[in-house]
Amino acid sequence: MKCPKCGAWNQAYLPKCVNCGAPLPHNTGKQEASWEESMHKKKPSLEITQYEKDDPLNPVQPSSSEDFDPEKLNKADLTDEIEELKKRREIGTQRLSQMRRQAERMRRSIQQAEVVRPIPEADDMASAYAGDRAAIRNRQEHKQQEYTASIQPVHDDMPYGYFGDPASQPLTYDDSDPNAPIYYDGYTPESGDQGALTDDEYLPRRVQTRPAYPDYTPDYDREHRKKRKPMQIVFKIILLLLCCCLMAVGGVLIARHFVLSQGMQMQEGNETRVELTETVIDGHPAHTLTIYGKENAAVYIKEMQSTYVIADGKVTISVPDYMWYDTESSTYATAVETDTMDVTITPFIRYSQEGDQYPLEPVQFTVDVPLSPIRLITPSTTRAEVGVSIYEVRINVEKGSTVIIDGTNVSTLIRDETGNVSKNVQVLPVGDNTISISVKSKYCRENKMEITLFRAAQDIPLELDPTVLVEWNYEPISEEKYNAATPEERQEMHIPAINGTTLPGASITVDFPHRNLTIDPATGRFRFIPIFTELGNNEIPIRASYEGKKDSLITHTVYYMPNQDIYTRRAWDLNTQYNDLVNNISMRKGTIYRAIGTVERIISTSPQMAIMNLGTPELEKLVMLENSSKTTWEVGTKYRVYGDAYGLYDTMPRITVRYTYLSE
């Protein structure tokens, strides 16, 4: 009965399909006979015979079951048995094919076999053909025909296993005959062939040699190619793999070239370009890098290790110049010790998150590296002669600087309002005493300086007090004014005095205008009042003398500058007296002037010297200024300064400025 679902044929008595398990329809129209009905209702018996693998002649008789019920049949086991039968049928088909191929090889082997050992000949006949392989070959064939002439082929009684043409039945020989020829065609049964001989049974009847080149035959060429076929297959496979690898490498290179070319076209199509401009950030010089490109493209700056995204067609990156050289303010800065620094910015651009990154044209520019400012107050020059063992070194720096004087960090002693800082250093009477100064201001490179304090070796001890006067900003008091004053007025007067100590019994000589010199012979203490007549630094020589010893001489410098109230009241207007000062500079030297103008350029920083224009751009009135005030000038700023005339500088009057004020 055919299954309506899968189409498989089943026995009529089965209720369900053995292939898919679907219920089978019953033929109700057919009238069954009584014997058919009894046969259908009778349950068939099942008997199975099993054979053990080790003993195939003694089957194991399992118990038979007379009550075999098809309804209780396991469909899964039945399906497995059917699949196993299919496999066995396929294996049988393969073995039959293998047997046919084996028979064909055996047939060709018998037909193509050749004699490799001829029938022995007489010595005289062998020597006649010595050296002529073709003649020997013909002789072998002739002897073979003589040996087999009396043997007739038997067509009805074929040897077992021969499937060839009876007309070309191979010759048979007696193996006991020592003169029988030996056949060999190179055939060796495969290990899987049924009935194949073992090595011990097969090899003694074969001579493992090949015919010489003159004895080459087409049959030998065919068998030789058959043996070399596996090697040729391996060689072809290797060659094929090598060709595939070369094609893959070529494809990768072509694809990479295509991608790069497309990327460059995209880059050119997006009109990516870079612009560099100078700017100012928080009062500090800076450079702005503007990159134009495709929207949402990512720009990576290698030196800054930062990525930026293009918005509205461009991205703007502003970087202060100090970020390239100030290691305290930037992690990617490089410390330098020169006035300038060459900077190279290497930008890369990527147009998509998965795309490649393309380098843009490097941007190169030069930035100025300012030096940390240092202004000496005491001493006013890098070399000075002192007469004290403890000397106060005072300098002016920018606020927030790191200051080291004579190996000591005095950064915390900087006055916020002025930027002044000082330190007392020891000065020995050995000649030159070198004092080192190091200043590192913010956004500047480190500035190092050395000052020399000279204190000569002395036979007669001569030393001034550590608190000796070094600056004087009051109006000098003349002797006449002092003598005419009342005791109450004298107490209110600011009278400068210089105190010191020498060898008891020594005499003191002061080569400077002074009064009231007193000496205590028992202690060697002395005191006098200097009289200042010139503004600025006043050098006061002091000499100690003692009989039998070399005089000791020290020169003490006092900076005299009346206070601003007294000083500015004496000033002349330089804006209106400019031509008069230029024409009469020798007569006006030391005269105090007031000047109002704009600083156009800075000539030097230590000491600070600048050019100020008192006039207009059309009619200039230039004056050279030396800054001795406490204010640091800036280019482009308008100031009101007070100073005393010093001389000429390249046809310009030179003024030493004492006080500086911003001009509105």
Side-chain angles (χ1 to χ4, degrees), residues 377-388:
I377 300 177
T378 56
S380 59
T381 59
T382 57
R383 183 178 177 83
E385 184 177 351
V386 299
V388 294

Side-chain angles (χ1 to χ4, degrees), residues 213-474:
Y213 182 77
D215 300 334
Y216 172 80
T217 61
D219 294 338
Y220 170 77
D221 181 59
R222 182 168 56 253
E223 296 297 330
H224 184 65
R225 287 197 303 268
K226 181 178 179 181
K227 295 180 180 179
R228 295 185 57 186
K229 189 174 181 180
M231 297 180 61
Q232 293 177 354
I233 294 175
V234 174
F235 177 76
K236 290 180 180 179
I237 293 175
I238 295 175
L239 184 60
L240 180 61
L241 294 176
L242 182 60
C243 293
C244 293
C245 293
L246 293 176
M247 293 178 61
V249 173
V252 171
L253 294 177
I254 294 173
R256 179 175 177 81
H257 175 73
F258 176 76
V259 171
L260 291 178
S261 62
Q262 292 296 323
M264 295 304 294
Q265 293 177 3
M266 181 184 297
Q267 182 178 355
E268 295 175 358
N270 293 324
E271 297 182 357
T272 303
R273 68 181 189 276
V274 182
E275 293 182 358
L276 181 68
T277 56
E278 295 183 0
T279 184
V280 177
I281 299 178
D282 296 334
H284 300 281
H287 284 78
T288 298
L289 190 67
T290 305
I291 301 177
Y292 298 87
K294 181 182 177 182
E295 195 73 12
N296 296 327
V299 176
Y300 174 74
I301 305 299
K302 176 182 178 182
E303 287 71 20
M304 301 174 60
Q305 299 181 0
S306 301
T307 303
Y308 307 88
V309 179
I310 295 178
D312 297 332
K314 66 178 181 179
V315 61
T316 302
I317 306 169
S318 297
V319 183
D321 291 349
Y322 62 79
M323 298 296 286
W324 303 109
Y325 59 79
D326 189 7
T327 55
E328 295 181 357
S329 304
S330 174
T331 56
Y332 49 84
T334 303
V336 295
E337 298 181 356
T338 56
D339 296 337
T340 60
M341 178 183 180
D342 295 330
V343 178
T344 301
I345 297 180
T346 309
F348 295 82
I349 191 167
R350 185 171 58 191
Y351 295 100
S352 62
Q353 186 175 2
E354 297 81 8
D356 293 337
Q357 189 170 261
Y358 304 98
L360 300 179
E361 189 71 21
V363 181
Q364 297 179 348
F365 57 93
T366 302
V367 299
D368 295 329
V369 184
L371 190 65
S372 301
I374 302 176
R375 187 173 68 87
L376 292 175
I377 300 177
T378 56
S380 59
T381 59
T382 57
R383 183 178 177 83
E385 184 177 351
V386 299
V388 294
S389 58
I390 302 298
Y391 185 83
E392 182 184 26
V393 177
R394 183 181 301 175
I395 61 175
N396 180 266
V397 298
E398 288 187 354
K399 301 175 184 178
S401 301
T402 301
V403 182
I404 299 176
I405 300 177
D406 198 24
T408 303
N409 193 331
V410 294
S411 304
T412 57
L413 303 179
I414 299 176
R415 298 180 181 178
D416 295 337
E417 62 277 6
T418 62
N420 293 342
V421 62
S422 62
K423 181 182 184 298
N424 293 329
V425 297
Q426 184 179 11
V427 183
L428 301 176
V430 294
D432 293 341
N433 292 263
T434 302
I435 308 300
S436 62
I437 300 175
S438 174
V439 177
K440 174 62 176 68
S441 301
K442 193 175 183 180
Y443 309 144
C444 299
R445 58 189 173 95
E446 185 179 9
N447 188 1
K448 296 182 180 180
M449 178 185 296
E450 288 185 351
I451 61 175
T452 301
L453 302 179
F454 177 79
R455 185 182 179 191
Q458 301 172 342
D459 287 345
I460 302 173
L462 178 60
E463 185 175 346
L464 301 178
D465 291 347
T467 58
V468 67
L469 174 71
V470 293
E471 289 185 2
W472 183 255
N473 59 357
Y474 296 100

Side-chain angles (χ1 to χ4, degrees), residues 572-579 581-582 593-600 611-617 619-625 638-641 652-653 655:
W572 293 80
D573 186 8
L574 183 57
N575 293 65
T576 59
Q577 300 293 325
Y578 182 81
N579 295 332
L581 177 60
V582 173
Y593 288 93
R594 182 194 66 180
I596 301 176
T598 303
V599 175
E600 291 192 346
I611 302 296
M612 176 181 282
N613 184 12
L614 309 181
T616 62
L619 182 60
E620 293 182 337
K621 292 182 180 180
L622 302 180
V623 59
M624 177 68 169
L625 304 180
K638 191 174 183 179
Y639 297 101
R640 183 178 79 254
V641 297
M652 293 182 294
I655 303 296

Side-chain angles (χ1 to χ4, degrees), residues 106-126:
M106 292 175 63
R107 184 185 66 80
R108 288 198 303 268
S109 174
I110 296 174
Q111 292 178 352
Q112 298 174 2
E114 62 175 310
V115 178
V116 297
R117 187 183 67 185
I119 298 175
E121 301 179 356
D123 295 338
D124 54 348
M125 295 299 295

Side-chain angles (χ1 to χ4, degrees), residues 642-663:
Y642 295 86
D644 46 273
Y646 181 81
L648 289 178
Y649 176 82
D650 192 18
T651 71
M652 293 182 294
R654 179 175 175 177
I655 303 296
T656 303
V657 177
R658 310 298 179 177
Y659 297 98
T660 301
Y661 304 94
L662 288 174
S663 179

Side-chain angles (χ1 to χ4, degrees), residues 477-487 489-490 493 495 515-516:
I477 302 173
S478 63
E479 188 174 358
E480 293 79 7
K481 185 178 180 180
Y482 180 79
N483 293 332
T486 62
E489 293 176 345
R490 291 179 182 178
M493 290 181 181
I495 304 174
R515 68 173 183 270
N516 300 340

